[in-house]
Amino acid sequence: MPGRADVCTTPPVKIAAATPVPDAPRLRVALQRASLPAQAASCERPEPGSLVGEPRDLRSVDGVLKVELRLRNARQPDGTTRFCYLTPDGAQSPTLRVHPGDLVVLGLKNELQPGEAAAASAPPMAMPSMTQSRDRHDGRGSPCDSGQMSELSTNVHFHGMTMPPVCHQDEVLRTSIQPGDPRFEYRFRVPANEPPGMYWYHPHIHGFSSPQVLGGASGAIIVEGIERATAATAGLAERVLIIRDQDLLHPDAPPSASEPVVPKMMIDRDGDAANNGTGFGKPAKDLSVNYVPVPYPDYPPARIEMRPGERQLWRVLNASSVTYLNLALLFGRAPQKLGIVAIDGVPLNHDGRAQDAILWRDRISVPPASRVEFIVTGPPAGVPGLLVTRTVDTGQGGENDPNRALATVVATADAAEPASRLPASPIPLAVSTLPWLGDVAPVRTRKLYFSEKLTDPKDPNSATEFYITVDGQEPKMFDPHSNVADIVTHQGDVEDWIIENRTSELHAFHIHQIHFLLMDWSGVPVDEPFLRDTVNVPYYADRMLGYPSVRLRMDFRDQNSVGTFVYHCHLLEHEDGGMMGLVTVEPAVKSNVR
C-alpha cells in the first residue's frame, strides 16, 4: 500500500504428523521456517516514521561469544527481495559485542530459497564466469574450497577486523556456503591489539554481494573499550545506528511538492537515478535507520528519542550498497557540532601520541562501508532536532544522493535508556609500541587506478565492465577463480599506494585485513589523526588536467595480514561487476644480518 512498508505476511508452515512427505528437503525448510515467528521468516521491517529501535546486543561471556545465525530471504509484492540474519528467537542482525582476545564461535546456516530470489533492478554489468570449481551437489567437498558463487551462495566478511584471511575466519575468495550445506562454523579470536571501535559483518560472494547487502544482510560488531582510548566517552550511553539503502519503495512517485528544484530524471550506467548536480530529485536508493525506512518522495523521518541535553556516543555504520552519506544534526536549522572519536573502528588517539583526541565537525562524510563514532548532545526541551544527510556530488556518472531527512531527534524526559552504557571509570588503553604509521617511510610506492568501459561503446545502454588496475598491467575484470595476485608484498612492509580515478563517478576504495592512512588528496597533503579501511576517491571531469587521486600509506606490519585477500570499490555494484583485485602478503623476509 502507498505510504506503508510492504511486509510478507506468509504464516509459518504447519505440517500434520500423518501427512506423507515425499520431499525431504522441503520438509526441512518447512520445519525451519515453522521454528521462527512469521515476521522473522519474512524479514519484517518497521513502518516509515517508527521509533528507531536498537539491534539486539549479543555479548561475550568469560571471553567467549557464541552466536547462531540463519540467513533468510523473502520476496516482496513489489518484486524486491529482503535478506536478514536471524537469531534462533527471530531477532534480526544482532550487534556482536566482544573484547580484544575474545573467542568468537559463530554458526551460520544458509536458508536462502530459490523462489525468493529477485532478478529485478539488476544493473547492466558485464560479469566474469562464475563457474564453480567443484560440483557441490553430489554431497562431497567443503565450503572452505567451494568457490561456488550464485544468488543462493553466501559467506561472511568481518569488515575492518585484522584477522587472518583463512577459512573459518575472514576468507571470502573460496569460502562459499550453499543452502544444502550443514551449519558452517566461523571460529576466530579477536586480535589482542584490535582497536576498540565499530566494525561490521556482511556477505561477500563475488557477483552477488550487492543484492544481499541491499536487501538488509548486515550487522554491527563492537570491539569494547573505546572509553579507554577517549576518556570523554566514559559513562556515556551509546546508540548503534545502521543506515542501509534499499530499492525505492515508491519508484514511480512524482517528486515532493516541497522540493525547490525538480530536475530531469536521468539513469546512470548502473541503472540507478543519476547525479543531477542539484541536491534534489529522485535518489538512486531509499535509506533506512535500523531498518526504519525513510522513503522517497516525502522522506518521513524515523524517530530518535533522547533526554533533553543528554550526551550520548552515536556509533553510525553506513551499510549501504551504493549510497554515500554526508551527515549533519540540525537544531531548528542550525547545524550542531559532533565530536568524532573514531573512524572505521580506530580511535583518533590510537597512534599513542594524541591523548583523548576529539575532532569537532558539523558535517561528517561517510562512504559506503565506513563507520563514524561521535559524541552528540541532544536538543533542549521543545527544540526540534533533525538528523539529515546532505547531498553528495558523486560525479557526472554517479548515483543521485540528494539532501534528505533521516530521523527527527526528539527531546523528552520519558526517553528510554539506551541498551548500552560505557564504563564510567575505565583503565586507560596501553600506548601502542608500533611507530605511528605516518612516521614510517614506505618501502615502495605503487599506483592503481579505477576505470570503466562499455562492452559496446556505441550503445550507452550496454553492459559496463568495471576495473581496478595496477599501473602497467592490463585492465581486466576480477576473476574469482584466479590464483594470481595482482600485488605481492611482505608482512612488515609499509607501502604507499596512489589510487587514481579515471572515471566520471566517485568510488570508495576498501581493502580487507588492514587499515591505512590518507596522506594526500590529489597531491595536497592532509594530516589526519586516524586510520581508515575505506576512503572516497574523487571523480574525473573533462576540465581536469590530470586524474584525481589519493595517496594511502598501507600498513602490512600485523602478522594477521599474511595471506591472500582483496581490495575493491565498496560500491557493491562495482565490486560485483569486476572492480576488485588480489593482494598476497607473504611472511616477513628474514634478514641474515645479526
Side-chain angles (χ1 to χ4, degrees):
M1 295 177 61
R4 299 186 60 187
D6 295 322
V7 293
C8 178
T9 55
T10 303
V13 177
K14 297 181 180 179
I15 298 182
T19 302
V21 183
D23 190 337
R26 290 186 180 179
L27 170 61
R28 287 195 297 270
V29 170
L31 290 173
Q32 289 163 353
R33 286 187 176 274
S35 67
L36 288 174
Q39 61 268 29
S42 65
C43 300
E44 186 180 67
R45 305 289 156 79
E47 295 284 346
S50 297
L51 183 68
V52 174
E54 293 190 65
R56 172 85 57 83
D57 279 334
L58 300 181
R59 299 176 182 271
S60 61
V61 177
D62 296 328
V64 179
L65 175 62
K66 294 184 178 179
V67 181
E68 294 296 325
L69 296 177
R70 306 175 184 186
L71 180 63
R72 290 272 177 87
N73 55 351
R75 186 73 173 265
Q76 304 304 301
D78 63 0
T80 61
T81 299
R82 293 176 183 162
F83 291 78
C84 54
Y85 291 109
L86 298 171
T87 63
D89 62 356
Q92 290 195 45
S93 300
T95 297
L96 311 183
R97 290 183 171 270
V98 295
H99 295 83
D102 281 353
L103 175 67
V104 177
V105 181
L106 188 154
L108 179 65
K109 187 69 177 70
N110 182 347
E111 296 181 357
L112 299 178
Q113 297 300 307
E116 305 293 332
S121 75
M125 297 184 299
M127 297 293 291
S129 172
M130 295 296 170
T131 304
Q132 62 193 54
S133 60
R134 177 178 296 199
D135 184 359
R136 295 297 315 289
H137 300 289
D138 60 4
R140 297 192 301 270
S142 163
C144 284
D145 61 2
S146 164
Q148 182 173 346
M149 298 178 187
S150 75
E151 62 185 7
L152 299 181
S153 306
T154 198
N155 55 23
V156 180
H157 170 44
F158 300 97
H159 186 117
M161 301 190 73
T162 309
M163 300 191 316
V166 298
C167 192
H168 300 287
Q169 296 197 53
D170 192 34
E171 197 281 331
V172 299
L173 293 166
R174 308 300 306 159
T175 303
S176 180
I177 308 160
Q178 311 312 314
D181 288 341
R183 167 189 177 275
F184 183 82
E185 185 172 280
Y186 286 91
R187 177 180 288 263
F188 59 88
R189 193 168 294 279
V190 179
N193 62 346
E194 193 75 83
M198 189 181 204
Y199 304 82
W200 66 299
Y201 59 94
H202 64 86
H204 207 293
I205 291 292
H206 181 61
F208 303 94
S209 294
S210 181
Q212 293 188 18
V213 173
L214 183 66
S218 56
I221 303 172
I222 302 296
V223 176
E224 306 281 19
I226 195 167
E227 73 283 352
R228 299 181 59 198
T230 308
T233 64
L236 294 183
E238 53 180 319
R239 190 182 294 270
V240 171
L241 298 174
I242 303 177
I243 300 175
R244 300 174 173 92
D245 61 8
Q246 62 187 53
D247 287 326
L248 298 179
L249 289 176
H250 312 300
D252 300 322
S256 171
S258 64
E259 289 214 347
V261 178
V262 183
K264 182 179 179 181
M265 175 63 179
M266 299 180 291
I267 301 296
D268 71 358
R269 288 186 178 182
D270 303 330
D272 298 313
N275 179 32
N276 56 52
T278 69
F280 299 96
K282 183 183 294 186
K285 305 292 181 187
D286 278 338
L287 293 173
S288 68
V289 183
N290 289 1
Y291 289 126
V292 178
V294 187
Y296 166 85
D298 296 319
Y299 308 121
R303 180 183 172 95
I304 296 173
E305 293 184 350
M306 299 176 65
R307 292 167 186 167
E310 180 184 15
R311 283 165 63 90
Q312 293 183 352
L313 175 67
W314 285 12
R315 314 183 99 149
V316 179
L317 157 63
N318 184 0
S320 298
S321 63
V322 298
T323 304
Y324 294 88
L325 299 177
N326 188 7
L327 298 176
L329 179 63
L330 310 178
F331 290 177
R333 295 186 177 181
Q336 302 300 299
K337 292 294 185 181
L338 306 173
I340 303 172
V341 297
I343 296 285
D344 289 352
V346 183
L348 266 62
N349 63 341
H350 197 64
D351 63 359
R353 300 183 307 174
Q355 294 302 309
D356 298 323
I358 302 177
L359 193 62
W360 293 96
R361 293 289 184 269
D362 60 12
R363 189 178 301 187
I364 306 175
S365 174
V366 191
S370 191
R371 292 85 63 210
V372 61
E373 300 169 69
F374 53 88
I375 297 171
V376 60
T377 301
V383 175
L386 188 65
L387 178 66
V388 303
T389 178
R390 298 188 183 278
T391 185
V392 176
D393 181 6
T394 61
Q396 183 179 358
E399 290 80 19
N400 199 37
D401 292 339
N403 297 290
R404 47 187 149 168
L406 293 173
T408 56
V409 183
V410 180
T412 171
D414 298 329
E417 175 77 7
S420 184
R421 185 174 290 274
L422 296 169
S425 301
I427 300 173
L429 195 67
V431 174
S432 173
T433 58
L434 282 177
W436 171 239
L437 186 58
D439 296 334
V440 179
V443 298
R444 64 187 64 85
T445 298
R446 306 180 193 268
K447 180 185 288 186
L448 298 82
Y449 61 90
F450 289 116
S451 62
E452 302 172 8
K453 186 181 74 173
L454 291 174
T455 52
D456 181 358
K458 297 180 180 179
D459 180 6
N461 296 316
S462 64
T464 304
E465 295 181 353
F466 295 90
Y467 314 113
I468 181 169
T469 308
V470 177
D471 198 31
Q473 298 181 8
E474 186 71 21
K476 64 182 186 301
M477 293 189 297
F478 177 72
D479 179 357
H481 303 305
S482 173
N483 294 319
V484 179
D486 302 282
I487 292 174
V488 177
T489 187
H490 291 88
Q491 185 264 318
D493 285 356
V494 170
E495 301 186 351
D496 273 9
W497 289 13
I498 299 170
I499 316 294
E500 281 187 350
N501 190 349
R502 301 182 183 181
T503 80
S504 61
E505 63 178 312
L506 193 63
H507 292 291
F509 175 84
H510 168 61
I511 187 168
H512 290 205
Q513 320 315 134
I514 72 167
H515 281 74
F516 52 77
L517 180 66
L518 176 63
M519 301 298 293
D520 74 46
W521 182 272
S522 288
V524 178
V526 298
D527 183 18
E528 290 193 342
F530 49 82
L531 305 181
R532 301 173 180 258
D533 60 46
T534 307
V535 68
N536 288 342
V537 185
Y539 63 84
Y540 173 75
D542 291 339
R543 65 183 181 276
M544 294 180 177
L545 299 178
Y547 294 117
S549 66
V550 295
R551 178 186 288 265
L552 311 176
R553 187 143 297 169
M554 313 297 288
D555 190 356
F556 298 103
R557 291 177 294 178
D558 197 294
Q559 292 184 351
N560 285 332
S561 67
V562 172
T564 298
F565 49 94
V566 296
Y567 53 87
H568 58 86
C569 175
H570 218 288
L571 275 72
L572 296 182
E573 292 173 353
H574 299 174
E575 173 200 316
D576 286 343
M579 198 169 263
M580 186 154 69
L582 278 181
V583 57
T584 293
V585 180
E586 297 180 341
V589 177
K590 295 183 179 180
S591 173
N592 293 324
V593 179
R594 295 185 178 179

